[in-house]
Amino acid sequence: MDIRAVIFDLDGVIVDTAQHHFLAWRRLAEELGIACPPDLKDRVRGISRMEALRIVLGDAWPTYQPQARELADRKDAYYRELIEGLGPQDLLPGVAELVADLKGNRVKVGVATGSRNGKTVLARLGILAEFDAIVDGHSGAESKPAPDLFLYAARALGIPPSQCLVIEDAPAGVLAAELAGMHSLAIGEEKLFSGVRPDLVLPGLAGLTRQGLLRALAEATEGISTWLVEAGDELSPQARETVLAVGNGYLSTRGTYEEKHPGELRATLINGVYDPVPIYFTELANCPDWTRVELEVEGERFSPGSGRVLTEGRTLDLRDGVLRRRVRWRTPRGQQVEIQTMRFASLAEPHLCLQSYAVTPLTEEVQVRLEVPLEAAPGNPGLPPLPEVPLNHWEVLASDAEGRQVHLLLRTRRSGIELAASLGVRIHGVPEERVEVQAWSGPCPGLSLTVRLSPGETLQVAKFVAYATSLETSAPLPCSRAQLAGAGEKGVAELLSEHRAAWGRLWARCDVEIAGDELAQRAVRFNLYQLLIAAPYHTDRASIPAKALTGFGYRGHVFWDTDVFMLPFFALTLPEVARNLLLYRHHTLPGARENARERGYAGARYAWESADDGREVTPRWVPAASGEPIPILCGELEQHISADVAYAVWSYWQASGDAGFMCDQGAEILLATAAFWASIARYDPAKERYEIRGVMGPDEYHERVDNNAFTNAMARWNIEVALDALDWLRHSHPEKAEGLERELGLTGEELARWREVARRMYVPQDPASGLIEQFEGFFQLEEVNLAELAPRTRSLQALLGREGVQQAQVLKQPDVLMLLYLLRDRYDERTVRANWDYYEPRTDHEFGSSLGPPIHAALACELGEIEVAYRHFLRAALVDLEDLRGNTAEGVHAASAGGVWQAVVFGFAGLRLTPTGPVARPRLPGHWKRLRFSIRYRGRRYVFDLTPGMAGPVSPLPGER
Amino acid sequence: MDIRAVIFDLDGVIVDTAQHHFLAWRRLAEELGIACPPDLKDRVRGISRMEALRIVLGDAWPTYQPQARELADRKDAYYRELIEGLGPQDLLPGVAELVADLKGNRVKVGVATGSRNGKTVLARLGILAEFDAIVDGHSGAESKPAPDLFLYAARALGIPPSQCLVIEDAPAGVLAAELAGMHSLAIGEEKLFSGVRPDLVLPGLAGLTRQGLLRALAEATEGISTWLVEAGDELSPQARETVLAVGNGYLSTRGTYEEKHPGELRATLINGVYDPVPIYFTELANCPDWTRVELEVEGERFSPGSGRVLTEGRTLDLRDGVLRRRVRWRTPRGQQVEIQTMRFASLAEPHLCLQSYAVTPLTEEVQVRLEVPLEAAPGNPGLPPLPEVPLNHWEVLASDAEGRQVHLLLRTRRSGIELAASLGVRIHGVPEERVEVQAWSGPCPGLSLTVRLSPGETLQVAKFVAYATSLETSAPLPCSRAQLAGAGEKGVAELLSEHRAAWGRLWARCDVEIAGDELAQRAVRFNLYQLLIAAPYHTDRASIPAKALTGFGYRGHVFWDTDVFMLPFFALTLPEVARNLLLYRHHTLPGARENARERGYAGARYAWESADDGREVTPRWVPAASGEPIPILCGELEQHISADVAYAVWSYWQASGDAGFMCDQGAEILLATAAFWASIARYDPAKERYEIRGVMGPDEYHERVDNNAFTNAMARWNIEVALDALDWLRHSHPEKAEGLERELGLTGEELARWREVARRMYVPQDPASGLIEQFEGFFQLEEVNLAELAPRTRSLQALLGREGVQQAQVLKQPDVLMLLYLLRDRYDERTVRANWDYYEPRTDHEFGSSLGPPIHAALACELGEIEVAYRHFLRAALVDLEDLRGNTAEGVHAASAGGVWQAVVFGFAGLRLTPTGPVARPRLPGHWKRLRFSIRYRGRRYVFDLTPGMAGPVSPLPGER
């Protein structure tokens, strides 16, 4: 950290004038006959005099508002009288020494205060001449928490924001420093600053030197490093975009740079905004981008290959999903500028995105121009084999430019979803009247801002973009306009504060703390962050796609990934999200029924790939480069999806005890899927068993097999829990049960047949060893020695061919082991062990499915193989952070993220949900010093705080409700 | 025609002051000691005084330039002295009476003259008070041919341009009136105005009344009606866009409206700009649009459904490819405005497109705003079944806005073709300083122009767009900038004049005049226009796609349509174009060789669908709505394409005698295709014949057949002409012959085998009747009575199914008859008759291929069935003008357009190219009064002027070389 200037707040940092202000305000209040609030002294600290006046006047504000300025002046006069008595003895401890030490080390010092009496006070204190610059209430700058006072001070000092440190005693001042792009030291009690992000908190300045300050700052930064992600050059540019995505459940936006780069995959995906597309049936339409800004310095555009980037860094803060960037750029003409940007998708106002872009010339005065477009149609990637020819799903219905705002109204071309986006800006750092702003409408509306800046002077543009779609409102454009207007009134500081508070509440419910393993700690938080930015908090009509909303892989389709891999996390931490995910499955039941009917089955057959209406949207084939179609069979064969959805219903029901859901939606899903299984199972009279033939199990290396153990056992389980649910419903909501029986044709005869199907369902297993055969004939397939093929750089399918793996005992991902994992209460450890020993070595862990490693990690814990578990765990936890599979560019592995939580909580912590409540049976990796997390179970919160010493069943601490 | 104001030019219309000007100039010249040019009097007529001064000074201009203004003033003083003597007796005959008659009929009258002495002259003539408005050289308006003087006059009269008539004696004035959007009456000799477009020419005004004027105008308009196309509401909006396309061989642009309409297919296609696309391999990329303008009146946007369009008309002038539009719009607030637009793609400067957009408020003063974007990526239509999700082939490399210009630099995403587009504007009708102009860059740069206009006042924006691609220059952006700068210097009037002159030269070579049949006359010209705007005048690397450049059908691919249907027109009228088309086939020989090699054949196998490199780009399959692939077999089976290309080479060679081409390229194509045929033909020893099995002939209803007569006979012919060409080459260019023999491995043995293949090639024909069997087994297929299915609304394939037509004796298009047409010198009339009688009734004329009707028309002429011929001819000639097949939206039927010319020239005119020269054997439809056309044959021009009385061989009149 290179600190070249320190900017001091005045009151509370250099001198404690709080008492003087308080006395002046109190005198004014007394004269007006108004009773002061008891905590007045604290409340008026560090805020503008007009805000303070409002607090002082309280209910009398409307009466006195017309005289506000006069009253404030009166208070100022009293205050000036009071501070007449100040002298050098009133300097707070350590200030004079710190200033001297800084100056001795050629660090510039300045003061930035909203007070109009700043210079008087400094003069009285005898320290005025020490400061290189003083910016006070006469500067005309917007008051803190706006960044302007600090930016003006930096300009006066001639030092760019990134090299300034602010010393503040008020949270609003700390926030202002952050918004100015400066470092900050907060003076006071730590808890006072919980809502803001000082780099360092100290009780006071006594004894502080430059050296000590730098050391303390470095330590403090180290302390939060597991919350920070800095995707570096070890990742491809497109993988970095995925890793640095920001989002808020309503939308996510990839971490593309502000300026356009060749090959970038710029994307903002709003959940549920699907539009048809050839081959893939439908896909999430890429929405107008809110992050693009193009910079020109003296007519030279900041773009790859132009001039030279001297330093560059980007940091995603997982605590609040804020992405920051700092660049030093030398233009082709040799001028240097500093660029600092910040962006977030508000978690508090999910329709709102906020970005700030700040430019500071470093070497000479330059003309700076920012172009801020609202790009209607960045387009979706094209179809194979030509992803670079994008598809444009949007038709522009209207485009307006008004003053400093532009608005777009779009409609998807086939699905007819309307989307409005409104963009507005606020200017900080230079007086607004100096900035020439132009707005234009048209298919790609936008704004440009032009200004001449002197060295050290910063133009900071805060950009607000509001979105609304016809999925949530009948009037998207008025809605996005209103959102934008509201955002403009609140301003960046308040929006950021609300956003942070919302993230704070989420992490309080979900965080998993791991001590002793920074790599794991950061990776786990990164994976949870991915689940949190993807969660549908506000809708039950959309689920979480396989790549969440961070990329175009699988075109935004929803798989069992959500139900089996992600849902348990939500069910046990944010059950309202789990409920929305299942309501999505309920809303799409008509599509699932149609899927079954079309294929000649009863009940509901969920789509292997699902989108807006539950119809099957797995591509039937994709084009090869040669022009030939490559068939894709999962959509027709992976029947197990229907049992997976039932499993999700059951899991949520177990965790939440949500009887309303079970009665109104859950039971119907369980029964409709059971009806499907009862109709697809065929009785073989010779063998006296029910069979399911011609399917694909979880292991997609074997495409059309008979009696896949996973499918058959899950089908049996599905029928059993459906019958249980029906029993429960008959007792608790008999009229509802009757209705469902009538609707689904569940006569006594039919239910008897279900029981028979479940009882006689064939699952090939050797009773002696417990070994389950993945499907009929698997054991007869060719043996392949995977060790002989190591080290590999490609999947087994790529090596052996599609036909080759079909004929071999190799697995893309756990199949029998997946069954044992899901229904682990039904199998004993001996069975788990026997099957583990058989299947684990035959599985393509590195290049098969990313769904495998977290499940293997959890199962390995159960078998006590902690080192093996940890290896599998890391393979899952780092899949995107280190792009282990080379496809992070297409979006995060959201199922793996859910699996990582399961590996930690069910694996290392050994969580079991027992009839008497949750218990843990920890088996932590040797180097972990602590594992702490909480769950919500049947309406109550439980905290697990596990350390290496613990063994056997550990009960949780009760958490707040 | 509603004329509410007449605007008189002064000199030459109201009074002849030419003599006075001449004398004043001569006096000045004498004083300076400069000899006047002999034709000075005529040369200074109707031009500005500064231009006149230049002419007077001649070589002395540089010397006197510093004093120019002073000299002009001196001349003016002499002139004023001279005109002192003018009086009412000097009024030209008829002026006073016409003015009085107009005023009596409530038609306003005004004068618009560049002269600074206008009012003095009118006062001397005693007529000053008669005029409602006078605009003269003091107005500050740009001089004629700029439209400003007339627009200023219209404003002063309060009448919109469309209701003004200008009376002028100078071509520059007539042009200015046209550019102002006004009607015009030219006074003088007709030939004086051949370069401009007055609505009417009269020798003088004597005896003219308002009534007489209107009658004469109506007659004159009627006289050019066969040159005008007004696609009306009987066509779908997208078909209208196709029909109203403009182009210049370099590019074509569909006739979309200026403002965006829902469902529009906005497209500018530049020939040769291909980029890969899934399924179709490659396609012409839709280029930035130059025609879009959005109008706002008092903030209300002119768009479908907003306010009301009171009247609207669009006219494409086939004489010069200028598209004009006139609209009267009532805004939602009730204000009325007149809009007049005009556009053309310059034939003289093929990189340049020009559009003018004029708005005139009619009812009250309003704020007018024009938005003029340069839209980077309108996109190509998407893939089936979702054409509405467009594909975007362009990456934006740079975008600039500078003053009143914007520039774009783009690159196709895979093929890497760079394209630059530069847009600039000039303002007419109001002083420039009153118009607020804003320019913006970004992905969709543009300009906006805002001004307040009073009623009758016109804002006219002339918009210049220049294109350049890396296909023709290594520096597209400097090139488009330079083009734009050059265009700005020339101005609209000069560019339009050059453009018209170029079109005049084309039509002089190509026009076909038909008297007595307006429908046919307009339709034939329309079809020729389509060929002329598609012709690759400037490149030999691109050909003419099946839909020319007017739509996205067949994705811009090139078929035999060009070689067999279009090429004969060019070979016999514009041989340099035919040569370019064949050089394209020569440049793509490597691709054709590769196609052959890949399929295991020798020589060159041309692609059924060809694009930039000659590789086969017929889609192998297209997606159905259900997600299933529909196979397309033409690309693999329609082998006849290689003989079709050879046929084109031979035709051109016969028509042009271009030995250089034959030596350097033609012979190679003939030999390489012959080698292909020799390798694909298989000898059947049992039957002692060569066969070609598993092909598709021209009739695509039968997909995989053996010994298709067309294919086999054309293959035989191909080998024969190749051997002839080799003989010719051995004699004329022995070293070239040797080279080819070596390269193609043409040993004596191999050539002997070729002769054997040709000799023993099997063509199934009944020697008795002459009836040829379309392919082996055709006669055994099911008979279908087409009459029983009439009237139909769908193709036979749609009715009977793909398998159904395969099994039936029904044809999509002529196959055996096509063979007889192409090789008609080899078959006697008896054979033609027998096959006509068999196949014509079995062909799907209405809904089969559009390639059929013109060929049937030509053959019917040969058989003397003129009425049948005329029916087929109209079916071809009107296919797009009346959208007979319902697919004109996808682009024009360019092959049919070529076929229409062939039907007229080879059919009705009976043209034969004999060793002694071309002769006609006319058999005109009964109601045709005259058929006149010219051809170019072996370097000489021949004019045929045929009337109904003529019969037997008619020799042409020689034309100018």
Side-chain angles (χ1 to χ4, degrees), chain A residues 524-603:
Chain A
V524 167
R525 282 182 171 148
F526 174 79
N527 282 289
L528 299 185
Y529 168 83
Q530 292 303 336
L531 295 170
L532 293 176
I533 66 171
Y537 304 104
H538 313 284
T539 178
D540 54 22
R541 301 269 164 179
S543 180
I544 305 179
K547 296 291 179 186
L549 303 173
T550 60
F552 296 103
Y554 298 118
R555 303 269 161 179
H557 294 178
V558 177
F559 293 67
W560 71 321
D561 300 39
T562 313
D563 307 274
V564 168
F565 293 83
M566 301 180 226
L567 190 124
F569 163 72
F570 291 112
L572 287 167
T573 60
L574 302 166
E576 68 278 20
V577 171
R579 190 168 194 273
N580 278 348
L581 294 172
L582 291 169
L583 290 179
Y584 162 80
R585 288 298 193 186
H586 188 258
H587 287 307
T588 53
L589 248 184
R593 287 211 167 91
E594 189 56 35
N595 293 336
R597 197 158 32 237
E598 265 181 2
R599 289 161 180 79
Y601 300 123

Side-chain angles (χ1 to χ4, degrees), chain A residues 483-551:
Chain A
Q483 280 277 345
L484 181 64
E489 274 171 34
K490 281 187 178 169
V492 183
E494 188 174 343
L495 290 167
L496 179 57
S497 299
E498 291 175 355
H499 167 74
R500 264 191 189 138
W503 267 104
R505 289 190 294 275
L506 270 192
W507 279 119
R509 294 168 69 184
C510 306
D511 190 24
V512 171
E513 292 170 68
I514 299 169
D517 189 343
E518 284 195 16
L519 181 71
Q521 173 68 84
R522 185 187 296 107
V524 167
R525 282 182 171 148
F526 174 79
N527 282 289
L528 299 185
Y529 168 83
Q530 292 303 336
L531 295 170
L532 293 176
I533 66 171
Y537 304 104
H538 313 284
T539 178
D540 54 22
R541 301 269 164 179
S543 180
I544 305 179
K547 296 291 179 186
L549 303 173
T550 60

Side-chain angles (χ1 to χ4, degrees), chain B residues 7 15 38 262 280 306 311 435 540 577 583 595 635 748 792 814 947 952 955:
Chain B
I7 303 171
V15 62
Y280 297 92
S306 163
T311 60
V435 183
D540 55 22
V577 172
L583 290 178
N595 293 336
R792 284 182 290 126
T947 47
S955 290

Side-chain angles (χ1 to χ4, degrees), chain A residues 138-161:
Chain A
H138 294 287
S139 64
E142 204 178 328
S143 62
K144 305 170 190 174
D148 299 71
L149 279 165
F150 292 130
L151 291 174
Y152 282 31
R155 185 209 164 170
L157 295 169
I159 305 295

